[in-house]
Amino acid sequence: STMELTFLGTGSAYPSPSRGASCVILKMDDGSWMFDCGEGSQIQLQKSKVRAGKVNKIFISHLHGDHMFGLPGLLCTISGNNQRSEPLEIFGPVGLRRFIRTSLELSRTMLGFSYIVHEMKVLPCQIPPDVQKWKIEDSCNEQRLHPNERKGCLIEADSDNVWTLLSNDKISVKAVHLKHRIPSFGFCIQEAASPGKLDLSKLSLQGVKPGPWCKEVKEGRIVTLPDGRTIDPADVVGPPKPGRKVIIMGDTCNSSEIYTVGMDADVLVHEATLQNSLKDMALEKGHSTPGMAAEVGKDLRIRLLVLTHFSQRYMPVSDEYEEEETVSILVKEAQEIMGPNRVLAAEDFLSITIPLRP
Amino acid sequence: STMELTFLGTGSAYPSPSRGASCVILKMDDGSWMFDCGEGSQIQLQKSKVRAGKVNKIFISHLHGDHMFGLPGLLCTISGNNQRSEPLEIFGPVGLRRFIRTSLELSRTMLGFSYIVHEMKVLPCQIPPDVQKWKIEDSCNEQRLHPNERKGCLIEADSDNVWTLLSNDKISVKAVHLKHRIPSFGFCIQEAASPGKLDLSKLSLQGVKPGPWCKEVKEGRIVTLPDGRTIDPADVVGPPKPGRKVIIMGDTCNSSEIYTVGMDADVLVHEATLQNSLKDMALEKGHSTPGMAAEVGKDLRIRLLVLTHFSQRYMPVSDEYEEEETVSILVKEAQEIMGPNRVLAAEDFLSITIPLRP
Ligand SMILES: [Zn+2]
Ligand SMILES: [Zn+2]
Ligand SMILES: [Zn+2]
Ligand SMILES: [Zn+2]
């Protein structure tokens, strides 16, 4: 089954001609999931191989403009390329529903599909004092939905401070909170373990030939054969194969909450806005350095750390720029902690296929 | 004095890699005025010679997404390049203030400057029945402005159905309403007439040598010289030089209201979304064909008609495409009515300097 990351925007603060604003696609079997949607993401989408009509879930890490101002326009464009009967599901912090509804209402936009916004209820500890002081209205009138809107949920954190956005027998998506200037979230996408392989040599040791009952054994049930013998999965089925795990973080200057759910992930997408020597500035703005990202990656035993959300001062690696002007210096700083083969800088339109676990 | 148009987006419905969404800059002596601001306009701005920090007035023709979804992000980017002490003034239909305030509030955006939204009160005749039926909230709580917001005006139409947005001794901006799927406006920017030239030969015919008093005569006042003679401007000053006039239209399928203010304009920027043979489809969507735009241009004796807001099916003129695939066919259709030298297709980044009148 497919799990492929495609970066549509890798710049911080605003979209520029060299880097789009934050947007990542995770291609799954059931459609394309989008993480964050800064202004211009729909243009980047058109330039990529991703098809707008295939986007069926959108996750917004936080409400800063460079992570959500592209959403109303994207919905219009999806509407023009729509192939879906199921509603589009959108997840994000409280306030997201109001932003989408206001934008669609005032522009008198009617969509060719229905949508649902599920909001994550923010914890008091996530709200910095200056944000608390500036009171705004972030909830919506629940009596008057947009004509294409279906009623969404308010998702609360559990006692471990984990928000479960989605959970079925194939996949789960959980969120944790990150320290930033406003409430921000990181997402952990966990594929379910797949059943172990039936060991045919062990079956034949017991003198049994495979039959239609094998499927039940593989699914973990003890089976009684016509001759009265019982086959216990514990004897003939190998260990379950762990599913893949992908972590996509929002803006953060402290990612410690991801430790609850992020251990041993295949990929960690983590911001690295400014280089190590500018750590004070990064912290002040609620952002991370490559060193900070790599410490998290190392602690979690991540296979591949992908840095993104670069200050527009760092250019993409190309012949046009000296190496010191590019994100190369950020990658090097992370490699000092994680080792040389486990760190990559995201670029707009870079795709990474996440291989099945061995 | 400068009057220069620069097109930053010339596509209809949504921004694409080949055409940005609607956005035009009119460079004036006091700064850059922006007309409409579709998603991605700030990226186009960065690719152009226009400097974000110089944008000091913004006019929004109507609230469709392809004309305003770029506004919140643009304000953030202007903030990062700010050189102004005067507030940024934004003009548009009722509802615009709410869109801007909601976007800036929920994203917790603080700007490095202050802004004012002046709203045009919509006439009942501008509101199609389906828009009337779908009730939304388009006004704001006037007690709680955004921290950077200053209180704006509600501008009403006069008895000729003209909205006066701006009027001083140098320039005026008036708006008229256009027929579209939602309330839409066209803008007429009229430079004041400049005083006529002092005719030195006529002065010397009267046996008078020029002196510091000439300035007063040029400004239209009768002057008494030390020797008792009077100089009457009517005798020695030529006729005033008419100011330039530029019309920038919003989306429209009936532009007849522009006849009130638009006669003899230097430039008319008019949409031509679809070719003449698709007129029915254009009308149904509230849009114009090149033929419709050119009839307006001809009636108003416009010097230069600039077509824009092209359906993304029409490609820019280039070696890559056959002529029939490009906007050439639209230009030809307008030229059949206006003549060969008076019609141009806008392209992203095209600039047109509007020469002083002779
Ligand atoms: Zn950001
Ligand atoms: Zn942020
Ligand atoms: Zn339009
Ligand atoms: Zn429109």
Side-chain angles (χ1 to χ4, degrees):
Chain A
S1 55
T2 314
M3 273 185 119
E4 187 187 26
L5 281 170
T6 301
F7 291 85
L8 296 182
T10 58
S12 80
Y14 59 92
S16 83
S18 55
R19 288 190 189 282
S22 290
C23 186
V24 191
I25 298 287
L26 178 61
K27 191 175 172 188
M28 304 290 283
D29 282 335
D30 78 330
S32 289
W33 297 5
M34 179 179 281
F35 292 81
D36 287 338
C37 186
E39 183 183 350
S41 294
Q42 64 160 311
I43 309 172
Q44 300 287 91
L45 197 80
Q46 291 172 61
K47 288 186 190 169
S48 78
K49 297 172 304 177
V50 184
R51 285 162 62 188
K54 294 283 187 191
V55 175
N56 61 346
K57 288 186 174 48
I58 300 175
F59 301 85
I60 302 294
S61 68
H62 67 300
L63 302 186
H64 273 156
D66 58 327
H67 297 255
M68 71 156 184
F69 281 167
L71 205 38
L74 179 86
L75 296 180
C76 299
T77 294
I78 290 178
S79 183
N81 299 275
N82 185 37
Q83 305 160 343
R84 113 175 29 80
S85 50
E86 294 289 293
L88 176 76
E89 286 189 290
I90 307 172
F91 301 85
V94 166
L96 183 60
R97 188 179 296 144
R98 185 179 180 79
F99 172 70
I100 295 172
R101 196 189 293 169
T102 303
S103 301
L104 295 182
E105 274 187 354
L106 286 169
S107 60
R108 299 283 180 177
T109 303
M110 288 291 279
L111 301 171
F113 58 91
S114 50
Y115 76 93
I116 302 182
V117 183
H118 302 297
E119 291 188 326
M120 290 182 271
K121 189 172 173 183
V122 165
L123 297 174
C125 68
Q126 287 182 270
I127 312 176
D130 60 318
V131 171
Q132 272 172 1
K133 254 192 300 181
W134 177 10
K135 298 267 181 248
I136 63 161
E137 213 178 311
D138 56 13
S139 64
C140 291
N141 175 349
E142 288 311 325
Q143 304 311 308
R144 205 183 52 198
L145 307 181
H146 180 281
N148 300 118
E149 190 179 353
R150 302 289 165 265
K151 207 165 158 20
C153 306
L154 181 69
I155 305 169
E156 297 194 47
D158 66 18
S159 57
D160 293 327
N161 286 355
V162 173
W163 286 255
T164 298
L165 309 187
L166 199 76
S167 181
N168 59 41
D169 59 350
K170 288 189 177 153
I171 200 99
S172 77
V173 180
K174 293 175 190 288
V176 299
H177 71 83
L178 306 172
K179 189 168 183 212
H180 188 46
R181 301 200 311 276
I182 61 173
S184 181
F185 292 89
F187 302 103
C188 180
I189 303 97
Q190 169 76 66
E191 195 183 29
S194 48
K197 277 197 173 163
L198 189 65
D199 192 332
L200 292 176
S201 64
K202 284 186 178 157
L203 267 192
S204 66
L205 273 181
Q206 299 192 20
V208 181
K209 290 219 164 100
W213 48 268
C214 283
K215 189 165 173 282
E216 291 207 36
V217 175
K218 273 166 85 175
E219 286 168 357
R221 281 183 292 278
I222 295 174
V223 165
T224 304
L225 297 183
D227 64 5
R229 281 187 298 175
T230 59
I231 308 289
D232 187 335
D235 301 330
V236 296
V237 176
K241 201 168 68 178
R244 290 164 287 183
K245 190 192 276 194
V246 177
I247 301 171
I248 301 175
M249 303 285 270
D251 290 2
T252 175
C253 62
N254 181 337
S255 309
S256 59
E257 289 286 327
I258 196 67
Y259 287 48
T260 323
V261 294
M263 209 64 199
D264 292 312
D266 297 72
V267 176
L268 168 64
V269 178
H270 198 291
E271 69 133 297
T273 306
L274 290 166
Q275 66 206 72
N276 289 350
S277 60
L278 301 175
K279 185 171 177 180
D280 287 349
M281 196 200 294
L283 291 178
E284 193 196 322
K285 296 184 170 182
H287 291 306
S288 296
T289 61
M292 291 162 68
E295 289 294 351
V296 176
K298 189 180 155 199
D299 290 347
L300 294 179
R301 297 194 303 252
I302 300 295
R303 278 167 216 199
L304 180 66
L305 169 66
V306 184
L307 304 179
T308 187
H309 196 271
F310 305 119
S311 161
Q312 300 279 358
R313 73 176 76 188
Y314 305 107
M315 304 312 295
V317 177
S318 87
D319 294 343
E320 271 181 79
Y321 302 101
E322 301 293 321
E323 209 182 349
E324 312 88 68
E325 301 177 273
T326 73
V327 293
S328 289
I329 58 172
L330 305 175
V331 173
K332 276 186 194 156
E333 290 180 343
Q335 285 176 338
E336 279 166 25
I337 294 161
M338 291 271 292
N341 293 315
R342 291 167 63 201
V343 184
L344 212 64
E347 288 299 343
D348 291 12
F349 310 114
L350 172 75
S351 282
I352 298 171
T353 300
I354 297 150
L356 284 168
R357 297 237 173 158
Chain B
S1 56
T2 315
M3 271 185 118
E4 188 187 25
L5 281 170
T6 301
F7 292 85
L8 295 182
T10 59
S12 81
Y14 59 91
S16 83
S18 56
R19 291 192 187 279
S22 289
C23 186
V24 191
I25 297 288
L26 179 60
K27 191 175 174 189
M28 305 290 281
D29 282 335
D30 78 329
S32 289
W33 297 4
M34 180 179 281
F35 292 81
D36 286 338
C37 186
E39 183 183 350
S41 293
Q42 64 160 314
I43 310 172
Q44 300 286 89
L45 197 81
Q46 291 172 60
K47 288 186 190 168
S48 77
K49 296 171 306 177
V50 183
R51 285 161 61 189
K54 294 283 187 190
V55 175
N56 61 346
K57 289 188 175 48
I58 301 175
F59 301 85
I60 301 293
S61 68
H62 67 299
L63 302 186
H64 273 157
D66 58 326
H67 297 256
M68 72 156 185
F69 281 166
L71 206 37
L74 178 85
L75 296 180
C76 299
T77 293
I78 290 179
S79 183
N81 299 275
N82 185 35
Q83 304 161 345
R84 113 176 28 82
S85 50
E86 293 290 292
L88 176 76
E89 286 189 290
I90 308 172
F91 301 85
V94 167
L96 183 60
R97 188 179 296 144
R98 186 181 179 77
F99 172 70
I100 295 172
R101 197 188 293 169
T102 304
S103 303
L104 295 182
E105 274 186 354
L106 286 169
S107 60
R108 299 281 181 178
T109 303
M110 289 291 279
L111 301 170
F113 58 89
S114 50
Y115 76 94
I116 302 181
V117 183
H118 302 298
E119 290 188 327
M120 289 181 273
K121 190 172 173 184
V122 165
L123 297 173
C125 68
Q126 288 182 269
I127 311 176
D130 61 317
V131 172
Q132 272 172 2
K133 254 192 300 182
W134 177 12
K135 298 268 180 244
I136 63 161
E137 213 180 310
D138 57 12
S139 64
C140 291
N141 175 350
E142 288 314 324
Q143 304 311 308
R144 205 183 52 197
L145 307 180
H146 180 280
N148 300 118
E149 189 179 353
R150 302 290 164 265
K151 206 164 160 20
C153 306
L154 181 70
I155 305 169
E156 297 195 46
D158 65 19
S159 56
D160 293 327
N161 286 356
V162 174
W163 286 256
T164 299
L165 308 187
L166 199 75
S167 180
N168 59 40
D169 58 351
K170 287 188 178 154
I171 200 100
S172 77
V173 180
K174 292 175 190 290
V176 298
H177 70 83
L178 306 172
K179 189 166 185 215
H180 189 46
R181 301 200 312 277
I182 61 172
S184 180
F185 293 89
F187 301 103
C188 180
I189 303 98
Q190 169 76 65
E191 195 182 31
S194 48
K197 276 197 173 163
L198 188 64
D199 191 330
L200 293 177
S201 64
K202 282 186 179 158
L203 264 194
S204 67
L205 273 181
Q206 299 191 20
V208 182
K209 290 219 162 96
W213 47 268
C214 284
K215 189 166 172 282
E216 290 208 38
V217 174
K218 272 165 85 174
E219 284 168 357
R221 282 183 292 278
I222 295 172
V223 165
T224 305
L225 299 183
D227 63 8
R229 282 187 295 177
T230 57
I231 307 289
D232 187 337
D235 300 330
V236 296
V237 177
K241 203 168 66 178
R244 289 164 288 183
K245 190 191 275 194
V246 177
I247 300 171
I248 301 175
M249 304 285 271
D251 289 2
T252 175
C253 61
N254 180 338
S255 309
S256 59
E257 288 285 326
I258 196 66
Y259 287 46
T260 323
V261 295
M263 209 64 200
D264 292 311
D266 296 71
V267 176
L268 169 64
V269 178
H270 198 291
E271 69 132 294
T273 306
L274 291 166
Q275 66 206 71
N276 289 349
S277 61
L278 301 174
K279 185 171 176 180
D280 287 349
M281 196 200 294
L283 291 178
E284 194 197 320
K285 296 185 170 180
H287 291 306
S288 296
T289 62
M292 290 163 69
E295 290 293 352
V296 177
K298 189 179 153 198
D299 291 347
L300 293 179
R301 298 195 302 253
I302 301 295
R303 279 169 213 194
L304 182 66
L305 170 66
V306 185
L307 303 178
T308 187
H309 196 270
F310 305 118
S311 161
Q312 302 278 358
R313 73 175 75 190
Y314 305 107
M315 303 312 294
V317 177
S318 86
D319 294 343
E320 271 181 79
Y321 302 101
E322 300 294 320
E323 208 181 349
E324 314 86 68
E325 299 178 273
T326 73
V327 292
S328 288
I329 57 171
L330 305 176
V331 172
K332 276 185 194 156
E333 291 180 341
Q335 284 175 339
E336 279 166 24
I337 293 162
M338 292 272 291
N341 292 316
R342 292 167 63 201
V343 183
L344 213 64
E347 288 300 342
D348 291 13
F349 310 113
L350 173 74
S351 282
I352 299 171
T353 300
I354 297 150
L356 285 168
R357 295 236 173 158

